[in-house]
Amino acid sequence: MTLLTFSELCSALPRHARLLGIDPGKKQVGLALSDVSRMVATPFATIKRGRLGAMVAALRTLAQEHEVAGMVIGMPLSLDGSFGPAAQAVRDWALELTVQTGLPACLWDERLSSAAVNRMLIDEADLSRRKRADVVDQLAAAYILQAALDSLARDNT
């Protein structure tokens, strides 16, 4: 299975299928779900990054329970937009996820998503570092997924 563009991914999905947003971190992976109309991304969960087999099993279960038919995976491009070692590692990981889960996926530029979420949590929610650590990955996944969903709205106007 290959990685798709976001528009190709959406075109390939059944009508009311959800999308799963993924923020792949080194220690944790943030997850977010779209609604069935693919307009709103909601933070869902944070899972520990471990063996790929355990991640695949968790994602398959989640996909069945929540009618997820595709994945939007955050791509950590360098600040200048270049494709560095971190981006290559995520691309390889995403390709393996698509093969093992059977879910189509696309990569979405996630530059500064965690920084934006952290800034919001500090400025607006006044959360401590420890409390931020509990939610930042799933909020970053929602931030990534919402950006992708918003691009659909822009393309349709």
Side-chain angles (χ1 to χ4, degrees):
M1 191 171 281
T2 62
L3 296 171
L4 307 170
T5 67
F6 186 63
S7 59
E8 290 169 340
L9 175 63
C10 290
S11 295
L13 298 177
R15 183 169 177 178
H16 292 292
R18 295 177 192 268
L19 285 169
L20 177 68
I22 301 177
D23 177 38
K26 291 179 183 173
K27 296 181 182 178
Q28 299 187 128
V29 175
L31 303 175
L33 287 172
S34 75
D35 62 328
V36 295
S37 63
R38 293 186 214 128
M39 294 181 72
V40 177
T42 303
F44 181 73
T46 303
I47 55 179
K48 296 247 182 262
R49 178 122 181 212
R51 299 184 58 130
L52 186 62
M55 177 75 60
V56 166
L59 294 180
R60 280 185 184 154
T61 299
L62 189 149
Q64 286 179 330
E65 289 175 0
H66 297 280
E67 299 177 6
V68 170
M71 302 178 290
V72 176
I73 301 171
M75 167 68 88
L77 296 174
S78 299
L79 287 179
D80 65 1
S82 63
F83 193 85
Q88 183 60 49
V90 166
R91 184 180 180 281
D92 294 344
W93 183 79
L95 279 167
E96 195 57 34
L97 267 185
T98 63
V99 168
Q100 291 194 31
T101 63
L103 294 172
C106 73
L107 298 173
W108 193 266
D109 182 359
E110 69 149 334
R111 280 179 284 179
L112 301 176
S113 61
S114 294
V117 167
N118 267 307
R119 177 60 40 216
M120 183 270 305
L121 290 172
I122 292 167
D123 291 347
E124 308 211 5
D126 195 28
L127 289 181
S128 67
R129 182 182 302 265
R130 182 167 184 212
K131 288 181 181 177
R132 285 194 316 268
D134 293 340
V135 297
V136 71
D137 295 308
Q138 58 188 282
L139 287 171
Y143 185 93
I144 293 162
L145 182 55
Q146 190 64 56
L149 296 172
D150 289 348
S151 77
L152 280 180
R154 285 192 304 271
D155 291 346
N156 292 332
T157 57

